[in-house]
Amino acid sequence: MAYGSSDLPLIKRDWSKVGVVVPTFNAAPLWEALRSRLDLQGLPPEQILIIDSSSTDGTISLAKAAGYRCISITKSDFNHGRTRQLGCDHFDWADILIYITQDALPADATSFSTLCSVFVDPKVGAACGRQLPRPGANAIERHARLFNYPETSTQRNLSSRAYLGIKAAFLSNSFAAYRRSALLQAGGFPSNVIMAEDSVVAARLLMGGWEVAYIAEAAVIHSHSLSIWQEFSRYFDTGVHHACEPWIRETFGGAGNEGKRFVISELFYLRTHQVGLIPSALIRTFSKLFAFQLGLREKYFPVVIKRSLSLQPSFWTTLKPECLPQLRDKEVRLH
């Protein structure tokens, strides 16, 4: 498959109604690769917004020199949901909002246009693209991308939960686009989440009657080599997310079956690609499961412990005394 080619109806994109939001922190080492790939997409630079969390390496100066719009926030003010909502509020004239992280490099010149082409369907409220493993990624890293971001595009609605479960609400803001009107109808990004603000919005969109798409033909290069401890912390945060947002699992179901399928797939993949990593993969699997269960029970731990276990320690500095579901003050009804 040639990434960037698509069987979708590619429309002539009116870039004047598209805004791009890129949260950054100390992005200078990645800057030239990111800037060149962003500029390749064909948008006017003033329609790219950098929201920088007080970088100390000159990121904001590099962004201004590229002609991008810039907003500076303090590092402690960064929140996965609230910061991205700042971008939505800034582009109040946009029809489509594209979100991408500083370490996700568009695979070719058509990544943005291919992703946005799905919005010719008026039922689609949001879409995300494929994430490819970075050069040099080991087999564990490669498998995670191949499993979670397959070659086949899909489009999901609320009824998809019957066979996909919680996977129906999957979305990744590492490379995603939103119909701004749908995003606002869904309440925008939650203001105080530890992670998975994208999945919260996807779930709300599906519950509100919108559809969510995965466009495999629109790709970015984005993967990480995480240590066992980093994965532990990430899955602790995932458990915290589900503890704070129980309505998602109540509505869509849990991720148990998907987790089992991932582990089996990973073991088969490693057996044929890098068998020596199987012990590490098994240790990681048990570590992630334990961390997730701890996160689900976060209310039993003091904040100092939660900060030490979390990949987002600043979240616990500003969190309310109790971890309340984001929708407790916002009723969302099934349509």
Side-chain angles (χ1 to χ4, degrees):
M1 177 184 296
Y3 299 111
S5 64
S6 175
D7 293 330
L8 294 168
L10 283 174
I11 59 174
K12 183 175 175 59
R13 172 55 48 197
D14 178 9
W15 289 125
S16 67
K17 295 295 185 180
V18 176
V20 179
V21 180
V22 190
T24 60
F25 176 68
N26 286 346
L30 309 167
W31 185 258
E32 281 309 309
L34 176 63
R35 182 201 55 76
S36 63
R37 298 294 182 100
L38 288 177
D39 290 350
L40 197 62
Q41 304 306 308
L43 283 92
E46 63 271 15
Q47 288 171 221
I48 297 175
L49 173 66
I50 304 298
I51 304 180
D52 186 69
S53 299
S54 299
S55 293
T56 57
D57 65 352
T59 295
I60 200 73
S61 298
L62 292 169
K64 289 179 178 178
Y68 302 157
R69 296 174 181 242
C70 299
I71 295 176
S72 293
I73 61 175
T74 64
K75 186 179 178 181
S76 61
D77 279 343
F78 174 83
N79 177 272
H80 285 288
R82 185 169 58 248
T83 300
R84 287 177 170 87
Q85 184 60 35
L86 182 62
C88 176
D89 295 340
H90 181 85
F91 286 126
D92 57 1
W93 45 264
D95 290 339
I96 304 297
L97 296 171
I98 298 173
Y99 288 85
I100 190 168
T101 53
Q102 68 184 34
D103 56 352
L105 301 179
D108 59 37
T110 68
S111 294
F112 284 8
S113 59
T114 303
L115 184 63
C116 290
S117 68
V118 75
F119 293 105
V120 296
D121 185 341
K123 301 188 299 296
V124 174
C128 70
R130 191 177 188 193
Q131 296 182 31
L132 305 173
R134 63 189 175 87
N138 67 26
I140 290 177
E141 192 177 336
R142 291 198 306 271
H143 171 265
R145 285 299 177 259
L146 295 172
F147 182 89
N148 290 315
Y149 300 94
E151 293 184 351
T152 304
S153 298
T154 58
Q155 199 158 309
R156 293 156 272 135
N157 56 32
L158 187 61
S159 64
S160 302
R161 62 184 171 163
Y163 58 93
L164 289 176
I166 202 168
K167 195 77 171 181
F170 175 77
L171 197 69
S172 174
N173 271 343
S174 289
F175 180 42
Y178 297 81
R179 192 184 303 272
R180 188 173 183 274
S181 59
L183 176 60
L184 293 177
Q185 183 180 316
F189 291 107
S191 62
N192 193 19
V193 287
I194 194 166
M195 64 180 304
E197 77 295 335
D198 35 26
S199 293
V200 170
V201 171
R204 291 179 182 175
L205 287 170
L206 294 174
M207 294 168 70
W210 292 94
E211 295 188 0
V212 174
Y214 165 67
I215 308 302
E217 297 82 2
V220 293
I221 300 167
H222 179 247
S223 69
H224 297 285
S225 178
L226 299 178
S227 68
I228 292 176
W229 176 250
Q230 286 173 321
E231 284 193 334
F232 181 96
S233 296
R234 181 175 179 81
Y235 274 79
F236 174 79
D237 290 349
T238 302
V240 171
H241 162 68
H242 284 288
C244 291
E245 310 285 352
W247 61 274
I248 296 180
R249 294 208 300 172
E250 291 166 3
T251 303
F252 293 90
N257 290 335
E258 185 71 4
K260 292 175 184 176
R261 195 167 72 87
F262 177 89
V263 172
I264 294 171
S265 172
E266 181 180 54
L267 291 176
F268 274 100
Y269 184 85
L270 293 179
R271 189 179 69 173
T272 56
H273 289 81
Q274 205 167 350
V275 68
L277 289 179
I278 288 180
S280 174
L282 291 173
I283 293 171
R284 289 170 185 269
T285 295
F286 288 111
S287 173
K288 290 185 289 189
L289 178 61
F290 181 54
F292 180 78
Q293 293 299 323
L294 286 179
L296 283 178
R297 295 159 177 80
E298 58 82 25
K299 66 181 180 180
Y300 298 109
F301 302 110
V303 170
V304 65
I305 296 296
K306 290 186 278 197
R307 280 178 55 86
S308 67
L309 296 177
S310 177
L311 204 59
Q312 305 289 335
S314 62
F315 171 78
W316 301 101
T317 302
T318 57
L319 186 66
K320 294 171 290 187
E322 295 184 18
C323 183
L324 298 176
Q326 293 293 335
L327 298 187
R328 184 165 292 181
D329 59 351
K330 184 186 290 290
E331 184 176 7
V332 176
R333 299 183 183 276
L334 297 179
H335 290 265

